[in-house]
Amino acid sequence: MTKLPGRPLLFLCAPLLVCVLVATAQAGGRQAKPRGVLLEQLAWPQAEQVLTPETVVVIPLGAQAKEHGPHLPLANDWNIAEYMKQRVLQSADVVIAPTINYSFYPSFVEYPGSTTLRLETARDMIVDICRGLSRFGPRRFYVLNTGISTVRALRPAAELLAADGILLHFTDLVRATGEVEKEVAKQEGGTHADEIETSMMLYIAPKTVDMSKAVKDYHPGKGPLSRTPTDAGIYSVSGVFGDATLATRAKGQRVVEAMVSAVLSDIEVLRGTTLGAATTPDAGGPKGAP
């Protein structure tokens, strides 16, 4: 395995990391032959065959340029989305669209490398993708969402699509993993690059985690993270909001498996939902940093 000059192992090229995530997703006795289909691997005549009115299209969403403290890469959310995509691919009869790697992440822009789209841009990108694919048959779309602030763009996107007779549901992380997080978490508080998120990565892709750089950085508050203590928001010199030093693989396994179960359940609920029904998920609110 070749490392880039002067770079640690966590900066492996994206395709190699995806291979690692795929191998992880297929471990543990899960079926080798996937039930789902990756849209990006099809030629258009094949796409025409699978994009039917009965099809559920899954759209993974995870930031590939968003800070996650000194111990996790900027691509952390994208890594989660890619892992979850492979789990869904194995277990659900769906068509999976390419992963979206930019969205609405306004709380992290003070940290170098972090990016955000405008709320309207993030909303409209989802609307345009769903409207485009719906031309060929599908009317049910599920955003495999790995963020909190992204909900602020996904809700209005679902409302706009509903007017076109298109159903859009998305992952509610608070509902999907909230109860399990309460059971396993030992930290005083936090929601970002913290005990929970770091534990998830120790389970999903441990080679992307540098626990020697994990820190506790928790200052209760509301608003975006800030590197300046006098600014409005949550002060965090590290970009961590919580205590990453408490992370373990065992905790991560419980949280990740709860998320997988919730996502698969969401997809089946969407599949059985009558077209035209106004059933936008209640994604709750952020737990601290948005």
Side-chain angles (χ1 to χ4, degrees), residues 20-179:
V20 173
L21 298 178
V22 171
T24 304
Q26 293 178 342
R30 283 182 285 274
Q31 56 190 353
K33 184 177 180 180
R35 292 180 58 187
V37 176
L38 293 176
L39 183 62
E40 63 208 60
Q41 295 183 354
L42 305 179
W44 75 259
Q46 296 169 308
E48 187 173 43
Q49 293 177 0
V50 300
L51 294 175
T52 70
E54 293 74 33
T55 300
V56 173
V57 176
V58 173
I59 306 171
L61 173 61
Q64 206 168 3
K66 171 186 166 188
E67 73 85 10
H68 279 80
H71 63 297
L72 295 171
L74 292 168
N76 192 74
D77 287 359
W78 184 83
N79 291 340
I80 295 174
E82 287 294 289
Y83 173 86
M84 291 295 297
K85 176 171 78 174
Q86 293 299 328
R87 293 292 299 269
V88 171
L89 180 70
Q90 292 296 319
S91 301
D93 182 12
V94 295
V95 172
I96 303 182
T99 302
I100 298 173
N101 60 349
Y102 289 97
S103 189
F104 182 64
Y105 305 107
S107 293
F108 311 98
V109 294
E110 286 194 21
Y111 302 84
S114 297
T115 58
T116 185
L117 301 180
R118 291 177 295 112
L119 178 62
E120 296 81 6
T121 304
R123 176 200 65 196
D124 291 348
M125 179 165 56
I126 296 294
V127 170
D128 288 350
I129 291 170
C130 294
R131 281 177 174 166
L133 290 175
S134 72
R135 292 173 55 204
F136 308 105
R139 312 296 287 182
R140 294 175 176 85
F141 295 85
Y142 181 81
V143 175
L144 205 173
N145 172 45
T146 60
I148 296 294
S149 57
T150 45
V151 168
R152 293 167 60 187
L154 292 170
R155 277 186 179 138
E159 292 170 0
L160 288 171
L161 289 166
D164 298 336
I166 299 171
L167 288 176
L168 174 69
H169 291 191
F170 50 85
T171 313
D172 167 6
L173 291 180
V174 176
R175 179 185 60 79
T177 64
E179 290 304 314

